[in-house]
Amino acid sequence: MKIITTIHLAIGFILAMFCIVTFGYIKQTQRVQKSVEAVLATSDVIREGESAQKMLLDLETGMRGYLLTGRQTFLSPYNKGQVIIARTVRRLDSLTEAYPSQNQLVHLIEQDAQEWIINFSEPLIAARAKVHLSSSHKQYYDSLFNATAQKAKGKLIIDRARKKFELIEAEEEIIKRAKVREMNDSLMQTNDIALGLTLLAILAGSLTAYLLGKTIRKRFMKMTALANSIANGNYQVTLTDTRHDEISSLTHSLNRMAHKLQQSFDHLTKMNRELDQFAYVVSHDLKAPLRAINNLAEWIAEDLDSQEPEITNNLTILRGRVQRMENLINGILEYARVGRKEIKKSTFSVNSVLKEALENLSPPASFQVKIAADMPTLTAEKTLVYQVFSNLLSNAFKYHHTQNGCVEVRAKELENMYQFEVQDDGPGIPKEYHQKVFGIFQTMEARDVKESTGIGLAIVKKIIEEKGGSIWIESDKGQGTTFVFTWPKEKKDLPVLLETAYVS
């Protein structure tokens, strides 16, 4: 299975878990909502019951006021109460449909209300309205009043209805408390389920991520080890990966790269052997004819008893050209060997290298060479550092336009490099030649004017760049020349303060 497929499945599993959490939360929320609606319904039943009882009280109050005074204003709350109580009973009937016992009580209350109105209040109100018409009407009202109101028949009916209301309220209170408990239980259950499912989703996601990460990390560590082996020059290592995913493709690519590098290394080794063989041929087989030509020129000059200046000059030029050719061959060999031959590193003072170079170069006595006091101590290939400074100092002496010049050597410590400067007060180098002079066989003056192979600066540039540094020129015509180059630091490089040296 491909890694991207595994990742998609893991993400899908985590998302599915969260979907389950959401679905469970929604279901529990619906249960809570139903419980809340049930609690609100019981509250409505209690509220409507209380409203109906208040209306019964208004009916009684309005009727009594009218019976005592005969004034029609007392019948206003009585008439209004009949309408409201009828509407309230209908609402109670609708609210208690789910509870048969309560619904039956509502119907009984409706019957009690109708009985009170039809058999008690209405006859009394009608009789009271005719009292002023005749004494017989008054007698009828008095007898009716004594037979009903005085014997509290209306009160008995109202009290019976109130007891039914009390039963409804009591039962609704029980239902309400039960629904509240159910709602609280649902809320607690919702929180528990949501928390449990969320923790389960997090645990499953974390476990999946851990297992996937561990598997990928282990395989990447193997590939890192393979890459490090390749970087250290061991190209014969291989990594076995039986899976068929993206990392397997990368592993196979690394194996192919290691194989290709091994082939290239073998080919390079073969080419180096052939180059060494060629160097041997150049050193011996090509130099031998040159030496023979030089010897013949000497012998001819000795045997030719001629005083012709032209012939003597031509023989001298011939020997000079032979010497130049030998120097060119030596320069080419030296340039080709840069970076190919492993040289052991050592720790040394740059000041000592400069002194050694100056002793070997033997500059004119009129020249002044100043070496700064802050020359560092390097851990590097001493021979290569010597070659760099020797070539730069040699050029400063050779191409100076006077016999009493001055050369200064300075050093500056950077973060990861040392920066060296070799400055002279010679004729300078025009800007258009700043890059050209580092090319092989390039010289500023004709070889007949200044004998040179044109390889020295090319060797310097190659050595410095092979070691990770860089070199450039700061100069202009007639303003002297400063060669600036950088040399990478090693861990053991420490700055050493030396006394300023003056060599004249």
Side-chain angles (χ1 to χ4, degrees):
M1 183 184 294
K2 291 188 175 183
I3 291 179
I4 191 65
T5 305
T6 305
I7 293 174
H8 286 163
L9 288 175
I11 294 174
F13 174 72
I14 295 171
L15 291 176
M17 291 298 297
F18 276 107
C19 288
I20 293 172
V21 171
T22 304
F23 179 75
Y25 192 80
I26 290 172
K27 294 297 290 182
Q28 287 299 114
T29 303
Q30 290 175 348
R31 287 185 58 189
V32 171
Q33 184 178 3
K34 289 180 179 179
S35 298
V36 171
E37 290 174 353
V39 171
L40 294 176
T42 57
S43 299
D44 289 342
V45 171
I46 294 171
R47 186 175 62 253
E48 293 295 337
E50 291 174 348
S51 176
Q53 291 184 72
K54 182 177 179 297
M55 288 302 103
L56 287 175
L57 181 60
D58 288 345
L59 287 174
E60 285 186 295
T61 302
M63 184 199 69
R64 286 172 183 171
Y66 178 74
L67 294 179
L68 289 173
T69 64
R71 297 172 59 183
Q72 290 291 329
T73 53
F74 286 99
L75 290 179
S76 179
Y78 172 81
N79 294 327
K80 185 179 178 181
Q82 288 188 65
V83 176
I84 294 175
I85 197 169
R87 188 167 59 207
T88 303
V89 168
R90 286 197 300 271
R91 287 180 183 170
L92 285 172
D93 183 46
S94 175
L95 290 171
T96 57
E97 282 182 346
Y99 305 97
S101 60
Q102 293 186 34
N103 193 255
Q104 185 179 3
L105 288 173
V106 171
H107 290 163
L108 293 174
I109 290 171
E110 184 179 17
Q111 292 174 12
D112 289 339
Q114 291 298 321
E115 182 183 354
W116 185 83
I117 293 171
I118 295 170
N119 298 329
F120 178 72
S121 63
E122 286 297 331
L124 283 172
I125 292 172
R128 180 66 178 82
K130 297 178 180 180
V131 168
H132 65 283
L133 295 178
S134 65
S135 59
S136 60
H137 284 88
K138 185 170 186 316
Q139 289 177 359
Y140 173 73
Y141 168 73
D142 290 338
S143 63
L144 182 62
F145 183 84
N146 292 328
T148 56
Q150 288 290 352
K151 293 183 178 180
K153 288 186 176 180
K155 185 176 181 303
L156 292 174
I157 297 172
I158 294 298
D159 289 343
R160 192 170 63 220
R162 285 196 178 98
K163 288 182 179 179
K164 294 183 177 68
F165 275 119
E166 290 174 359
L167 289 174
I168 291 174
E169 289 179 4
E171 191 170 344
E172 286 297 327
E173 284 293 339
I174 294 172
I175 294 173
K176 182 178 179 180
R177 286 194 293 271
K179 292 299 181 182
V180 168
R181 285 195 299 271
E182 184 179 344
M183 180 179 67
N184 291 332
D185 292 342
S186 296
L187 285 171
M188 292 297 294
Q189 190 176 7
T190 300
N191 293 334
D192 293 341
I193 292 174
L195 181 61
L197 289 175
T198 301
L199 291 176
L200 181 62
I202 293 172
L203 180 62
S206 301
L207 182 62
T208 303
Y210 171 75
L211 294 176
L212 184 62
K214 183 180 179 181
T215 303
I216 295 175
R217 179 175 175 273
K218 186 182 294 184
R219 296 171 70 189
F220 270 113
M221 287 180 64
K222 291 181 180 179
M223 285 191 293
T224 302
L226 174 64
N228 289 332
S229 297
I230 294 172
N232 292 329
N234 183 12
Y235 308 123
Q236 296 180 343
V237 293
T238 56
L239 187 61
T240 303
D241 194 330
T242 57
R243 303 190 184 188
H244 302 284
D245 53 25
E246 294 85 349
I247 297 181
S248 300
S249 300
L250 181 59
T251 302
H252 298 330
S253 298
L254 283 173
N255 287 335
R256 286 197 300 271
M257 183 181 72
H259 180 66
K260 290 289 185 181
L261 285 173
Q262 182 62 45
Q263 290 181 335
S264 299
F265 180 77
D266 293 341
H267 179 70
L268 183 61
T269 303
K270 179 182 177 183
M271 295 296 292
N272 283 337
R273 284 199 298 267
E274 292 177 356
L275 187 60
D276 289 339
Q277 183 68 25
F278 171 76
Y280 177 81
V281 171
V282 170
S283 299
H284 295 81
D285 296 356
L286 290 183
K287 285 184 179 179
L290 291 176
R291 293 193 187 98
I293 293 172
N294 186 61
N295 292 336
L296 285 173
E298 287 184 5
W299 296 340
I300 291 172
E302 292 174 359
D303 295 340
L304 185 63
D305 191 12
S306 173
Q307 300 299 320
E308 291 292 335
E310 185 176 353
I311 296 175
T312 304
N313 184 53
N314 288 337
L315 288 174
T316 302
I317 292 173
L318 175 62
R319 293 174 62 191
R321 295 293 187 272
V322 170
Q323 184 63 41
R324 181 185 298 171
M325 187 64 184
E326 185 171 354
N327 290 338
L328 283 172
I329 292 172
N330 290 334
I332 292 170
L333 290 174
E334 189 175 357
Y335 182 81
R337 289 191 183 107
V338 173
R340 292 181 53 242
K341 201 170 185 180
E342 186 176 352
I343 303 174
K344 187 177 180 181
K345 292 183 179 182
S346 61
T347 301
F348 56 90
S349 168
V350 175
N351 191 69
S352 64
V353 172
L354 290 169
K355 286 184 177 180
E356 183 180 347
L358 290 172
E359 289 175 1
N360 293 331
L361 291 172
S362 300
S366 57
F367 256 85
Q368 188 180 34
V369 180
K370 296 181 180 179
I371 302 174
D374 54 352
M375 286 293 127
T377 295
L378 297 182
T379 300
E381 299 86 344
K382 186 176 181 179
T383 303
L384 299 182
V385 176
Y386 172 84
Q387 279 185 286
V388 170
F389 280 111
S390 178
N391 274 288
L392 294 178
L393 291 171
S394 175
N395 277 1
F397 301 147
K398 183 185 295 184
Y399 292 105
H400 205 282
H401 60 296
T402 66
Q403 291 298 314
N404 54 354
C406 177
V407 178
E408 295 185 31
V409 183
R410 297 184 292 270
K412 184 191 299 182
E413 184 175 1
L414 305 179
E415 184 177 357
N416 298 315
M417 300 268 188
Y418 285 109
Q419 180 174 302
F420 297 96
E421 297 179 4
V422 179
Q423 181 180 12
D424 63 57
D425 56 355
I429 300 175
K431 292 185 182 298
E432 60 267 25
Y433 291 100
H434 284 190
Q435 293 299 323
K436 186 178 180 181
V437 295
F438 290 110
I440 194 168
F441 303 135
Q442 298 294 325
T443 60
M444 287 292 296
E445 299 184 28
R447 289 185 174 87
D448 291 333
V449 178
K450 294 281 185 181
E451 185 63 38
S452 174
T453 61
I455 298 176
L457 288 179
I459 291 174
V460 168
K461 183 178 176 66
K462 188 174 182 182
I463 289 173
I464 291 172
E465 290 182 348
E466 283 278 344
K467 294 302 165 185
S470 57
I471 184 169
W472 64 93
I473 298 173
E474 295 177 357
S475 176
D476 209 342
K477 189 173 182 180
Q479 297 180 5
T481 303
T482 303
F483 283 89
V484 185
F485 70 92
T486 57
W487 193 277
K489 285 183 179 180
E490 293 282 340
K491 291 182 179 180
K492 295 181 181 180
D493 284 349
L494 297 172
V496 176
L497 298 179
L498 302 173
E499 293 183 358
T500 305
Y502 293 93
V503 181
S504 300

